[in-house]
Amino acid sequence: MKQIKKDERTDSQKFPNGMIRMAVLLLMSFLMLTGCGKSDRVPAGNDLVTMYTPSEMSETLPTVPEPSQEEPAGTEQSDLSEPAGTQVTAPDNTVRILMAGDILLHERVSDSGAMPDGTYNYDHLFANLKQEISSADLALVNQEVILGGREIGLSGYPSFNGAYEVGDALAEAGFDVVLHATNHALDRGKKGLLNCISYWKTNHPEMGVLGIQESEEEQESIYVKEVNGIRIAILNYTYGTNGIPLPSDMPFAVNLLNKTQVAADVIKARSVAEFIIVCPHWGTEYIYGISDYQREWAEYFASLGVNLVLGTHPHVIEPVEWVGGENGNGGTLVYYSIGNFINATNENGSGVGGRMLGALAEVTIRRNSDGSVSIADYGVLPTVTHIKTGAGQITTYKLQDYTETLAGENEILKQDAGFSYQYCVKLCREVFGELYMK
């Protein structure tokens, strides 16, 4: 795969990685000596979920850089891998993490859930990947659009709103954590956001819902899921909300990428967890390369000691790489974009078919003999959105199960005649390189 060269920047534009890392390490040492309290834990199968509030974490934080600027406005916010580690053989000491990309509810996707009997059901979206999702120890998904319910009207691009039944399908598929910090979080205003939060709390209280909240205390809390004895913190942010301001009485409603906030959250997360995942909504739409904005943030995450970055927003796949060193040597594994899990774009033209291609990020972490936690193995499982008109017809396949026959039936061909099974395979090879194994 062709390497994308790092952009050249002046010293004043680079992040002070060494200073930040030193501050983080000093604070971590202090916290390990003093310890910290924990809130009540809620059983979740064999796992434990904890929301750590500010009072349960150290209030002493090091000085952090000035807030970064939001990703420049443009389109609809339209901006390789090192060899995998050795497979582990002690399943009780490992956690298999899986993340699916954007659940993008264009009108045809929303309409596919309207059943002939008048009910709504979206299980078909995940039917072909349910085994992979449910078998993961920790499964995350980027819910690109707000689920404000039919009561305020379902809508597609550019101001999205999805049915609650999409959330039911996500839970049924086996997802553990839903990410809502996206540029579409405020598409339907405060009402849509509060409807979504209330839906999750009322119908699926076991689900980890990140990136949006209805109180300052919730925003300042750190979500930690303990799996097989390993405590994993997950943080979720977006570059912006399509120019829609946060509600004046809810400045905490959506997590935004801000260096001061991110640094404080990561430091708090390190005090209560052993492995940190950051899920940023970033980058440039429909671009297969890595933007300067993403690279700077990736370096910043690495400087803070983040272990894994799982990126979304570009709606196409992007490379995977180590930043700031390799695993076990201060490195951060970065998936810049895993593309769309489901979508039905309205646009036409050459290259539009590439939006049908996504990937599941698959990462295995393990506890080592010295007690530390690190990444043992990682990869991608490419997926393809299959568009077909009718109730329950739109779905997603693993690329390895897709065929030229199915590709020939995909209605995306009406919008991009260049789409084919081989087109998807070629694109995976170009973007993921050796990480993609057919």
Side-chain angles (χ1 to χ4, degrees):
M1 177 178 174
K2 185 177 180 181
Q3 294 287 336
I4 302 173
K5 293 183 179 180
K6 183 188 249 187
D7 62 302
E8 296 182 356
R9 299 186 296 279
T10 65
D11 290 340
S12 63
Q13 292 173 303
K14 296 178 181 178
F15 294 114
N17 296 351
M19 293 176 63
I20 296 172
R21 187 182 297 278
M22 182 175 294
V24 173
L25 292 174
L26 288 173
L27 182 64
M28 287 169 55
S29 299
F30 171 77
L31 290 167
M32 286 190 291
L33 290 173
T34 60
C36 61
K38 296 180 181 179
S39 61
D40 292 339
R41 292 180 167 187
V42 181
N46 295 322
D47 309 328
L48 294 172
V49 175
T50 308
M51 290 299 292
Y52 288 89
T53 61
S55 63
E56 297 169 317
M57 297 174 288
S58 172
E59 296 180 357
T60 304
L61 301 176
T63 302
V64 292
E66 291 299 315
S68 64
Q69 295 299 312
E70 196 175 274
E71 173 101 305
T75 60
E76 183 251 352
Q77 237 333 81
S78 291
D79 129 50
L80 126 194
S81 67
E82 299 291 335
T86 304
Q87 290 280 6
V88 293
T89 57
D92 289 343
N93 293 330
T94 67
V95 177
R96 190 169 73 87
I97 300 166
L98 176 147
M99 179 162 160
D102 305 336
I103 307 299
L104 194 50
L105 303 176
H106 291 101
E107 288 185 8
R108 282 183 290 179
V109 179
S110 283
D111 291 347
S112 75
M115 298 294 117
D117 62 0
T119 63
Y120 277 70
N121 186 292
Y122 292 90
D123 290 345
H124 54 281
L125 302 181
F126 311 102
N128 298 308
L129 276 300
K130 183 176 180 180
Q131 181 177 351
E132 282 71 22
I133 295 165
S134 61
S135 65
D137 295 312
L138 177 59
L140 298 78
V141 61
N142 184 61
Q143 180 48 54
E144 179 76 20
V145 310
I146 212 73
L147 303 180
R150 285 177 279 152
E151 63 193 74
I152 60 174
L154 303 184
S155 55
Y157 180 83
S159 183
F160 290 91
N161 177 53
Y164 295 143
E165 288 83 0
V166 173
D168 296 337
L170 290 170
E172 175 64 23
F175 288 107
D176 304 294
V177 176
V178 173
L179 308 169
H180 267 294
T182 79
N183 55 306
H184 292 291
L186 294 176
D187 276 4
R188 299 301 296 273
K190 182 178 176 180
K191 176 64 173 176
L193 182 137
L194 289 177
N195 278 9
C196 186
I197 293 173
S198 177
Y199 160 76
W200 285 117
K201 288 183 175 180
T202 302
N203 294 276
H204 299 286
E206 78 288 352
M207 185 73 75
V209 179
L210 306 184
I212 58 174
Q213 45 274 318
E214 57 184 344
S215 72
E216 185 174 0
E217 183 179 13
E218 288 181 351
Q219 185 184 49
E220 293 180 352
S221 298
I222 300 298
Y223 177 88
V224 176
K225 188 173 180 69
E226 183 173 317
V227 187
N228 294 338
I230 298 177
R231 298 187 306 279
I232 303 167
I234 307 171
L235 306 172
N236 179 214
Y237 310 90
T238 178
Y239 71 89
T241 53
N242 286 346
I244 303 172
L246 296 171
S248 59
D249 59 340
M250 293 180 65
F252 42 75
V254 182
N255 291 346
L256 301 176
L257 279 168
N258 172 289
K259 288 196 292 183
T260 301
Q261 184 63 53
V262 171
D265 288 347
V266 170
I267 291 167
K268 289 188 290 186
R270 182 63 66 192
S271 75
V272 293
E274 303 166 278
F275 191 88
I276 300 176
I277 302 173
V278 173
C279 302
H281 207 64
W282 62 356
T284 305
E285 289 187 337
Y286 318 128
I287 300 299
Y288 295 93
I290 304 165
S291 72
D292 293 346
Y293 182 81
Q294 288 170 295
R295 282 204 177 278
E296 291 187 356
W297 269 105
E299 291 171 10
Y300 189 63
F301 293 141
S303 77
L304 294 174
V306 171
N307 303 103
L308 174 64
V309 174
L310 300 170
T312 57
H313 174 64
H315 303 311
V316 293
I317 57 174
E318 292 180 348
V320 180
E321 68 178 9
W322 287 99
V323 176
E326 297 180 13
N327 186 35
N329 187 30
T332 299
L333 180 61
V334 181
Y335 287 72
Y336 285 97
S337 174
I338 50 178
N340 295 322
F341 181 88
I342 194 80
N343 83 111
T345 181
N346 300 320
E347 295 186 30
N348 299 281
S350 177
V352 166
R355 303 176 196 180
M356 301 301 106
L357 183 65
L360 299 181
E362 297 182 305
V363 179
T364 299
I365 65 175
R366 68 177 171 199
R367 185 179 299 284
N368 303 307
S369 58
D370 63 0
S372 64
V373 177
S374 63
I375 294 173
D377 198 7
Y378 62 98
V380 292
L381 180 63
T383 60
V384 183
T385 296
H386 186 71
I387 301 177
K388 192 172 181 180
T389 302
Q393 294 302 301
I394 291 181
T395 191
T396 293
Y397 286 89
K398 289 183 286 187
L399 178 57
Q400 65 191 43
D401 294 337
Y402 212 55
T403 64
E404 285 291 6
T405 298
L406 280 171
E409 298 171 355
N410 195 325
E411 293 178 11
I412 193 63
L413 282 166
K414 298 176 182 178
Q415 297 162 253
D416 181 2
F419 177 83
S420 69
Y421 168 74
Q422 286 301 326
Y423 168 81
C424 293
V425 170
K426 182 175 182 290
L427 195 51
C428 274
R429 288 173 177 164
E430 290 176 350
V431 174
F432 292 134
E434 295 180 0
L435 196 60
Y436 169 59
M437 296 181 64
K438 174 73 169 54

